[in-house]
Amino acid sequence: RAPHKRLGVAIVGLGRLTLNQILPAFSQSQLARPVALVSGRPEKARAVAAQYGIDPAAVYHYDEMARMAENREIDAVYIVTPNGRHRDHALAAAQAGKHVLCEKPMANTSAEAREMIAACADAGVKLMIAYRCQYELLNLETARLAQSGELGAPRIIHATNTQVHGAGDQWRIRAALSGGGALPDIGLYCLNGVRTMLGEDPIEVYAQIVNPVGDERYAEVEETVSFTLRFPSGAIANCVTSYGAHECKNMEIRLEKGSLELENAFAYQGQRLYVAQLRDGREQMSEIRLAPKNQFTLEIDHFADCVLNSRTPHTPGEEGLQDHILMEAIYRSAREGVPVKI
Ligand code: NDP
C-alpha cells in the first residue's frame, strides 16, 4: 500500500449525523475519504454523492452490501444507521471483507455486540466504536489530569446529559430500532465518560427510571434515567440523562485536592475545562485552553491510522460491549429497585 493512500470509506445511512457532522468532518481528514454510500433512498444518495465527488456507481442499497466486496476502493464502512440496524450492517460489511467503524451505541444488546465482535474477528477486519469524546482534546486532558494524581484521587463525578426531545414518531422512540430511550442515546456519554475519566470499570450500579405519565413517546422507551456507579477505587459517579430536561452536557470531577469541571463535555464543540486546585492551603482557579479540533475528524483519522498501519483501535468493539453490559445492569437495577453488582 502506498504510504500516501487514504482509507476509502463507505458511509452507511444518510441521516442527520452523516450529513451535518460526518461528511463535513471527512473534508478535514488527511487519512480517510468517503468513496461510497449505502442508503435506502437512491435519489438522495446520488445527490449526496455528487456533492462530495463520490462515484455514482458506488451507491448501494442496504440489501446490496455484499456487492461492496467487488469494490476495491472501499477499505472500510462507517455505520450511521439506527442502533437496531448496526449488527446487521456490521455483519454484512465484515462478510464483504471491510473494516468497521460503528456509531454508538454499538447495538441494541450485549448479545448483538458479541456477534459483531465475533464476525469481525472471523473476517479478520478491525472493529471500532465511534466514541467521539474519547478523541476530543479537552476530554482527553481532563482524563489525564484526573488520573495523574496531581489533584489527588478522584472521589466523586457528576455527569449530566439532558436535552428536550421533539415530538414525532421517529426510530429513537421505537425500542426495536433504538434499544432504549435516553440511556443508550445520550446517557451513554455519561457512562462511557466516567469510565474514561477514572480509567476503571464500575463494580455496582443503582438506577431509577422516570417516565411522564400518559406520554405516548415513552410507551416503548424511557425518558429519564438517574444512575449511580460505584468503582473499585472507591470513587462514585452520579449520572443523569433525560429527553425531557433543558440541555446540559457537563461533567464535574471532585478529587481530594481539587476539582475539574468540563463544560459541554459531550457536545460537538464548546468544551471548556476549569481546574480548581489547593496550593499552600489556598484554592487556585484556572482554565485550560487548547486549540479546538473537530472531534469527528480526530476519531476518523484514528480509525484510518489503525487500519492503514495495523494498530488496535483505542475504542474497539469490546469497549462498546462493556457499555452494553453496564446498560443492561442499569435497566435491571431500575426494574428491580435494587443495586446490581457487575
Ligand atoms: P437519523 O434518523 O437522522 O438518520 C438515520 C439514517 O439511517 C436514516 O436517514 C436512514 O438513512 C438510515 N436508516 C436505515 N434504516 C432505517 C430505519 N429503519 N429507520 C430510520 N432510518 C433508517 O439518525 P442519526 O443520524 O441521528 O443517528 C444515526 C446513528 O448515529 C445512531 O446510531 C445514533 O445513535 C448515532 N448518533 C451519534 C451521534 C454522535 O455524536 N456520535 C449523534 C447522533 C447520532 P437513508 O435515508 O440514507 O437510508
Side-chain angles (χ1 to χ4, degrees):
R1 182 190 292 283
H4 59 270
K5 170 153 184 348
R6 284 196 290 168
L7 190 79
V9 181
I11 301 174
V12 187
L14 305 179
R16 270 170 307 171
L17 186 69
T18 294
L19 298 179
N20 299 338
Q21 307 298 332
I22 292 172
L23 278 165
F26 266 100
S27 60
Q28 296 172 45
S29 168
Q30 304 294 316
L31 298 180
R33 63 193 181 105
V35 296
L37 300 173
V38 183
S39 170
R41 290 175 293 171
E43 268 177 38
K44 177 176 187 179
R46 276 194 290 274
V48 175
Q51 192 186 344
Y52 283 92
I54 296 167
D55 181 354
V59 169
Y60 302 85
H61 189 272
Y62 301 107
D63 302 337
E64 303 173 321
M65 286 178 70
R67 274 211 301 119
M68 294 195 311
E70 297 151 25
N71 186 337
R72 298 192 57 189
E73 288 276 291
I74 304 173
D75 300 302
V77 302
Y78 190 168
I79 297 170
V80 202
T81 47
N83 314 339
R85 306 297 298 133
H86 292 179
R87 187 259 320 260
D88 288 354
H89 294 152
L91 266 51
Q95 277 155 18
K98 309 302 178 185
H99 301 280
V100 177
L101 173 58
C102 180
E103 262 309 324
K104 49 54 61 183
M106 181 170 176
N108 271 6
T109 63
S110 61
E112 291 181 356
R114 284 189 211 302
E115 275 185 73
M116 292 162 71
I117 291 171
C120 290
D122 288 349
V125 296
K126 294 196 187 291
L127 171 59
M128 173 170 141
I129 311 305
Y131 284 111
R132 59 179 168 75
C133 292
Q134 290 207 41
Y135 302 91
E136 193 281 317
L137 299 179
L138 280 175
N139 273 263
L140 288 173
E141 178 61 8
T142 310
R144 189 194 68 74
L145 280 168
Q147 292 172 38
S148 70
E150 286 170 45
L151 303 173
R155 301 305 310 275
I156 295 163
I157 303 194
H158 288 285
T160 306
N161 201 350
T162 57
Q163 62 194 43
V164 176
H165 198 60
D169 180 10
Q170 51 155 321
W171 65 264
R172 281 184 167 79
I173 59 171
R174 299 292 161 220
L177 284 171
S178 63
L183 180 62
D185 191 22
I186 55 175
L188 180 60
Y189 287 94
C190 302
L191 176 62
N192 193 262
V194 298
R195 291 177 54 224
T196 304
M197 291 304 143
L198 295 173
E200 59 179 342
D201 274 320
I203 47 176
E204 188 177 85
V205 305
Y206 183 46
Q208 294 185 66
I209 288 181
V210 183
N211 284 327
V213 178
D215 188 330
E216 292 200 345
R217 287 173 301 171
Y218 304 108
E220 294 184 23
V221 302
E222 77 284 351
E223 187 217 51
T224 299
V225 191
S226 160
F227 55 101
T228 301
L229 308 169
R230 202 156 61 79
F231 288 85
S233 64
I236 194 153
N238 280 322
C239 304
V240 65
T241 187
S242 179
Y243 276 157
H246 188 64
E247 183 163 304
C248 175
K249 297 182 176 295
N250 295 349
M251 193 154 36
E252 180 193 298
I253 308 176
R254 306 205 76 79
L255 304 96
E256 289 166 316
K257 294 186 283 187
S259 64
L260 300 163
E261 278 179 49
L262 184 58
E263 250 177 45
N264 297 317
F266 313 127
Y268 293 155
Q269 58 204 17
Q271 284 75 18
R272 303 197 69 158
L273 173 55
Y274 301 100
V275 183
Q277 186 164 16
L278 270 186
R279 279 223 174 95
D280 304 325
R282 290 179 50 200
E283 187 175 74
Q284 292 182 354
M285 301 284 292
S286 59
E287 180 178 359
I288 294 182
R289 289 170 184 265
L290 301 172
K293 285 196 182 154
N294 183 320
Q295 56 189 295
F296 288 96
T297 307
L298 293 169
E299 162 208 294
I300 290 165
D301 279 349
H302 173 76
F303 174 67
D305 176 48
C306 289
V307 174
L308 295 171
N309 300 306
S310 302
R311 297 190 223 277
T312 303
H314 175 60
T315 51
E318 289 75 8
E319 177 81 354
L321 169 62
Q322 181 63 11
D323 281 336
H324 278 293
I325 291 169
L326 293 168
M327 287 193 289
E328 284 164 8
I330 288 169
Y331 281 130
R332 195 179 131 210
S333 172
R335 211 169 42 240
E336 297 179 1
V338 293
V340 170
K341 294 220 180 333
I342 309 299

